[in-house]
Structure formats: structure tokens, C-alpha cells
Amino acid sequence: VDKNIYAQGPSEISKIVAQPIRPVCEDLNAPSNLARKRINGHEYIDLGLPSKLKWATCDIGAPTPGESGNYYMWGDLSAKGEYDYEHNPPYDKSIRNISGNPDFDPATNEWGATWRTPTKEEFEELIRCCVWESKMYGYKITGPNGNYIQLGLYDSLHDRYWTATHRGQYGEAYCLYYESGWHTIPAELGIKSVRSDNKYRIRPVSD
């Protein structure tokens, strides 16, 4: 039976119907027998999604799937330094989507075309069409064809990834939010809007 998963942000609530979340204990760095391919030297997995989107196996800046990547503010190419409020897109309401824009998308800027940051809708597809299995250190996300990717858990019991989608309101963008199930603790999974100057990781995709 599907679960109704809620993620509450400061500005809105996003309700997403997801597949069951089943607690398991598995090493994120365990070898996989999946046939992996590369674009510009970076591995991806075809999950068999309706969009045919390819998901990277690692975050930007992470050498393996089980390691944490770099943290970025939304629309900022640098994982270091201070946020440039004057020249970055969160304060320009006309820029609603930075996906594939090398001036604002770290995935495209660092990994090259055709890599980009996933949109809000593409993360919603990942939630809706895949089985999310809670692990000790994150999630195993299995697509319709049986292939899977992994998202780690590095910020206490919850974590977030940026989408490329701006909320259209001053200084806010959407992120993927999830909380570890840890067997008996209820897990949260969904999309929420947050301040653009928060620092989160990015998991690139390619068409």
C-alpha cells in the first residue's frame, strides 16, 4: 500500500505519494553488479523511469556513492566562499529554472553538458516511481527496471538535495527532503521550499 509522505517547509506543504519505505542495513560502498556507463567521465544509472532520465551515481565532489559531496547555495557555482546576493538568481524572480545553465548550475559548470541539476518535477518522479529503502546511512532507490542509486544521510537524521527550480518567491527554491527511517522512527520524504542561501548537495542528472 502506498504511503502519503509529507514534507513541510516554511512556505508550503508538498504532498507526494511514494512507494513503501522499508528499513534495511546495507553498506553504501558495497560493490554493485549494475552495468554502469559514463558521460564526461561520470557514472550514471538508467532507472527505467518514464522520462528516461539518467541519474549520476555520486554527488558533485564525492569520489564514491557512499561519500558526501560538496555543499552549494542555490544558483551559486562555488562550494566555498560567501553567497553573492547581487548577482545570483535567487533574487531575480524571472529565473525560475537553472537546470543546464552553466552560469548558475554547478552540475553543468563542473561536469559539462549534458549534466545538470534535477528539476522539482524530476525529483517528484524519482519519489513517485521508485522504491525507497531506508538504510543505516541513507537510501537505496530502486527504479522500475530494478537498477538503483544511493543517496547518503550525512546531516544527523535528515538531509536535503537542491532542485534546479526556484519557487518564484523572493529568496526561496525547492529541495528534496528526507529523514532516515531507522527501523522504528517514521521517515519523511518530499519536496519543500527553503531559503536559497542554505547549503545542500547536488545529485546531477542527464537526458
Side-chain angles (χ1 to χ4, degrees):
V1 178
D2 287 350
K3 293 183 179 179
N4 290 330
I5 308 297
Y6 296 85
Q8 298 185 7
S11 302
E12 65 175 36
I13 298 175
S14 177
K15 176 181 176 182
I16 297 175
V17 177
Q19 297 294 330
I21 300 176
R22 298 191 294 270
V24 297
C25 181
E26 185 173 337
D27 182 3
L28 281 168
N29 284 308
S32 169
N33 60 0
L34 297 176
R36 291 175 174 171
K37 300 181 180 179
R38 296 174 182 264
I39 298 175
N40 298 339
H42 300 283
E43 289 185 343
Y44 71 85
I45 295 293
D46 177 4
L47 297 171
L49 298 170
S51 66
K52 304 187 184 302
L53 198 65
K54 305 174 183 70
W55 283 82
T57 59
C58 296
D59 302 341
I60 301 176
T64 69
E67 296 185 59
S68 177
N70 299 333
Y71 285 75
Y72 299 86
M73 296 186 221
W74 193 86
D76 191 3
L77 298 179
S78 174
K80 305 174 183 178
E82 297 298 324
Y83 196 77
D84 186 345
Y85 288 94
E86 182 178 355
H87 299 101
N88 281 80
Y91 296 91
D92 181 351
K93 294 181 181 179
S94 66
I95 301 178
R96 300 295 184 89
N97 179 11
I98 60 170
S99 189
N101 184 335
D103 293 330
F104 301 117
D105 187 339
T108 308
N109 179 268
E110 295 190 30
W111 287 17
T114 56
W115 289 110
R116 57 184 179 80
T117 299
T119 64
K120 174 177 177 282
E121 291 74 21
E122 287 164 343
F123 265 120
E124 288 172 343
E125 179 186 55
L126 192 71
I127 294 172
R128 185 176 61 251
C129 297
C130 297
V131 173
W132 290 59
E133 295 178 287
S134 179
K135 300 181 169 193
M136 185 177 295
Y137 298 110
Y139 281 103
K140 176 181 178 181
I141 305 163
T142 305
N145 63 3
N147 292 342
Y148 66 88
I149 60 171
Q150 301 162 343
L151 293 182
L153 191 68
Y154 306 104
D155 184 11
S156 185
L157 295 179
H158 65 272
D159 223 325
R160 300 170 184 177
Y161 278 84
W162 278 126
T163 78
T165 308
H166 193 273
R167 186 168 180 255
Q169 180 171 322
Y170 189 80
E172 291 189 8
Y174 290 103
C175 72
L176 170 75
Y177 172 89
Y178 56 91
E179 179 180 321
S180 173
W182 285 90
H183 301 282
T184 58
I185 300 175
E188 290 187 68
L189 172 64
I191 306 294
K192 67 191 297 186
S193 62
V194 294
R195 284 174 54 101
S196 319
D197 56 357
N198 286 303
K199 280 194 170 185
Y200 302 138
R201 297 193 307 280
I202 294 175
R203 178 60 62 91
V205 296
S206 180
D207 295 305

